[in-house]
Amino acid sequence: EEWKGWMQFVFLLYHYFHAGEVYNSVRVMITCYVWMTGFGNFSFFFFRRDFGWLRVVQMLWRLNFTVVLLMLWHGNTYILYYICPLHTFYFLCTYMVMFIGRQWNHSRWPVRFKIFGFMLIIFLLWDSQLGLFDTVFSFLGRDKIIGATSGTVWEWYFRTSLDKYSAALGMIFACNYPLT
């Protein structure tokens, strides 16, 4: 928990004071956060086997409550607080990986195939030239808004593409973490 606190301090330093000299550290810390999202939530679903709506709602509340208040209070857009949508998205991805075919979560190879299937989806959405990303996320809009001067779809592409494999790698590490 102390590690998360220091990361949040550096995020605030970077964004509030425009401390560009810590940008590389911030990028590493954000991808670590996304990695921990994959690792921690995979572990939770693996051990607790709790896929109920209450867990999902609790996580969405924890991740987004303060941001929604700030957004409404200041009249900002959700994408401006990009770290929260990022973690919300990758939490939901981890949930879906573990929820779909959950009967295979404790089998040696099927759970790994599910994670690699998720990585294939990531590749097809972000790295293929099929235009799938724009199609899937077109509902976000292309208008210039606060926090997304090139449009929300582009901002979401930029923010998610930087850390797109981190949650999947966190899941792989959790899946292969020795239990003894």
Side-chain angles (χ1 to χ4, degrees):
E1 294 303 315
E2 186 173 337
W3 164 245
K4 289 180 184 177
W6 280 108
M7 285 195 294
Q8 290 173 354
F9 171 75
V10 174
F11 296 160
L12 288 172
L13 178 73
Y14 172 71
H15 287 288
Y16 189 75
F17 295 109
H18 304 288
E21 61 273 8
V22 295
Y23 176 77
N24 290 334
S25 299
V26 168
R27 289 296 337 133
V28 170
M29 290 176 185
I30 290 172
T31 204
C32 287
Y33 243 109
V34 175
W35 185 93
M36 288 189 291
T37 297
F39 185 91
N41 288 297
F42 179 95
S43 298
F44 177 88
F45 293 126
F46 185 84
F47 290 112
R48 298 264 176 107
R49 301 175 190 203
D50 177 7
F51 299 97
W53 66 270
L54 184 60
R55 168 67 178 176
V56 175
V57 170
Q58 286 173 332
M59 283 300 295
L60 295 177
W61 177 265
R62 270 183 32 203
L63 290 169
N64 294 289
F65 175 70
T66 306
V67 169
V68 170
L69 284 180
L70 286 170
M71 184 183 82
L72 294 173
W73 184 267
H74 294 290
N76 288 328
T77 58
Y78 187 57
I79 197 72
L80 182 65
Y81 306 95
Y82 65 90
I83 293 172
C84 290
L86 190 69
H87 291 292
T88 300
F89 177 74
Y90 285 112
F91 162 73
L92 291 172
C93 287
T94 304
Y95 177 80
M96 293 308 292
V97 167
M98 294 301 286
F99 180 78
I100 296 171
R102 58 188 174 273
Q103 69 272 17
W104 298 318
N105 286 348
H106 292 85
S107 300
R108 181 179 178 105
W109 291 108
V111 69
R112 287 163 176 83
F113 289 134
K114 287 175 28 169
I115 297 168
F116 286 116
F118 172 56
M119 293 176 84
L120 178 62
I121 291 169
I122 290 171
F123 174 80
L124 291 173
L125 282 173
W126 276 268
D127 296 324
S128 72
Q129 301 300 316
L130 302 174
L132 293 175
F133 186 91
D134 289 336
T135 303
V136 170
F137 294 105
S138 63
F139 68 92
L140 294 174
R142 299 187 185 285
D143 298 335
K144 294 181 180 184
I145 59 171
I146 297 172
T149 56
S150 296
T152 308
V153 171
W154 168 249
E155 188 68 21
W156 184 241
Y157 175 79
F158 172 70
R159 297 296 178 188
T160 54
S161 68
L162 294 171
D163 309 302
K164 62 184 174 259
Y165 291 109
S166 297
L169 292 173
M171 287 189 267
I172 289 171
F173 273 80
C175 184
N176 293 296
Y177 189 75
L179 299 176
T180 57

